[in-house]
C-alpha cells in the first residue's frame, strides 16, 4: 500500500522514469564510447605513436566532460521540473492523508520512497539503455563498414558516478518540494497546537 501511494499514477511515474532515464542514458552512452576509445587507443600502440594516442585520449576525455556537464545540468533541471509536476500530482494524496489523521512525517516518508523508486528506475534504465544503444550503434557501424567490432563498456566507477549523479540530481531537483511540504507540515502543527 505504501509503494502504491508513493508511486501514485503508474503512467505518470513511468513517464518521469523514462524521461530521466533517457537523460542518464545519454551520459552513459558518452561514458561507454569514451571508455572504448581510450582503451582502444592505449592498448598495443607503437611507441612512435604514443604522443598522438595520449593527446587524442586527452581530447576525448575533454569532449566527454564538455558533453557530461550540460547533460548533467539538463538532468538537474528536468528533475526540478518533474519534481514540481510530481508535487502537483501527489498533493491530493498528501492532503487526503493529512485530513485522514496520518502522522506529519508520513507525507515526507511517501515522498522519499517515491524519489528513491524514481531514482532507482531512472538510473537502471539509463545506464543499461545507454550501454545497449551504444553497443548496438557500434555493432551497426562494424557491419556497415566491415570492420572489427569493438564493445563499448562502463566500468564499475562509471556506474557509481551515474548513480551519484542520478540520485543526487533527482533529490536536488525535488528539494523545493521537500521544503514546501516541510513548511506546510510545520504550519499544520502550529495550527493544531
Amino acid at each position: 500500500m505504501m509503494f502504491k501511494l508513493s508511486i501514485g499514477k503508474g503512467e505518470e511515474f513511468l513517464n518521469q522514469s523514462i524521461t530521466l532515464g533517457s537523460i542518464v542514458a545519454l551520459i552513459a552512452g558518452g561514458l561507454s564510447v569514451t571508455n572504448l576509445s581510450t582503451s582502444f587507443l592505449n592498448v598495443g600502440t607503437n611507441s612512435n605513436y604514443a604522443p598522438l594516442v595520449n593527446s587524442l585520449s586527452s581530447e576525448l576525455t575533454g569532449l566527454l566532460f564538455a558533453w557530461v556537464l550540460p547533460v548533467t545540468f539538463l538532468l538537474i533541471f528536468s528533475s526540478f521540473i518533474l519534481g514540481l509536476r510530481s508535487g502537483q500530482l501527489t498533493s491530493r494524496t498528501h492532503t487526503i492523508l493529512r485530513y485522514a489523521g496520518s502522522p506529519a512525517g508520513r507525507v515526507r516518508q511517501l515522498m522519499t520512497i517515491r524519489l528513491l523508486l524514481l531514482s532507482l528506475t531512472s538510473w537502471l534504465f539509463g545506464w543499461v539503455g545507454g550501454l545497449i544503444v551504444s553497443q548496438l550503434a557500434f555493432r551497426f557501424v562494424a557491419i556497415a563498414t566491415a570492420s572489427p567490432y569493438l564493445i563499448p563498456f562502463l566500468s564499475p566507477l562509471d556506474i557509481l558516478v551515474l548513480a551519484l549523479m542520478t540520485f543526487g540530481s533527482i533529490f536536488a531537483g525535488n528539494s523545493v518540494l521537500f521544503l514546501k511540504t516541510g513548511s506546510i507540515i510545520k504550519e499544520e502543527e502550529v495550527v493544531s497546537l
Side-chain angles (χ1 to χ4, degrees):
M1 181 72 168
M2 188 76 135
F3 287 116
K4 178 117 175 91
L5 283 173
S6 297
I7 290 175
K9 287 187 176 181
E11 294 173 4
E12 291 291 332
F13 183 82
L14 186 63
N15 287 340
Q16 291 176 357
S17 181
I18 289 173
T19 301
L20 294 173
S22 299
I23 298 170
V24 174
L26 287 173
I27 300 170
L31 284 171
S32 66
V33 169
T34 303
N35 287 344
L36 170 73
S37 60
T38 19
S39 69
F40 175 72
L41 293 174
N42 288 332
V43 173
T45 57
N46 192 347
S47 61
N48 295 337
Y49 298 108
L52 174 66
V53 168
N54 289 333
S55 66
L56 191 55
S57 177
S58 66
E59 286 297 320
L60 286 171
T61 305
L63 284 174
L64 171 70
F65 287 119
W67 167 263
V68 167
L69 201 58
V71 175
T72 303
F73 285 126
L74 178 66
L75 181 63
I76 292 170
F77 181 72
S78 62
S79 299
F80 178 73
I81 298 298
L82 287 176
L84 293 176
R85 177 73 179 141
S86 175
Q88 291 173 346
L89 294 172
T90 58
S91 65
R92 182 174 180 212
T93 305
H94 297 162
T95 305
I96 291 171
L97 283 173
R98 290 299 298 145
Y99 283 121
S102 237
R106 181 69 61 175
V107 174
R108 280 195 177 206
Q109 186 180 16
L110 287 173
M111 288 173 55
T112 304
I113 291 172
R114 179 182 175 83
L115 293 179
L116 285 172
L117 289 173
L118 183 64
S119 300
L120 184 64
T121 56
S122 300
W123 172 68
L124 285 173
F125 172 75
W127 77 263
V128 170
L131 187 60
I132 289 172
V133 167
S134 66
Q135 288 178 351
L136 288 174
F138 269 81
R139 182 65 176 158
F140 178 73
V141 168
I143 290 171
T145 61
S147 60
Y149 174 55
L150 304 170
I151 301 172
F153 63 94
L154 289 172
S155 69
L157 181 63
D158 294 333
I159 294 172
L160 179 65
V161 167
L162 285 170
L164 291 175
M165 281 188 344
T166 305
F167 282 78
S169 65
I170 288 175
F171 276 88
N174 288 279
S175 62
V176 171
L177 185 61
F178 262 105
L179 294 174
K180 183 178 176 183
T181 304
S183 66
I184 290 171
I185 290 172
K186 286 178 185 174
E187 288 173 8
E188 289 176 357
E189 288 174 352
V190 168
V191 169
S192 67
L193 289 177

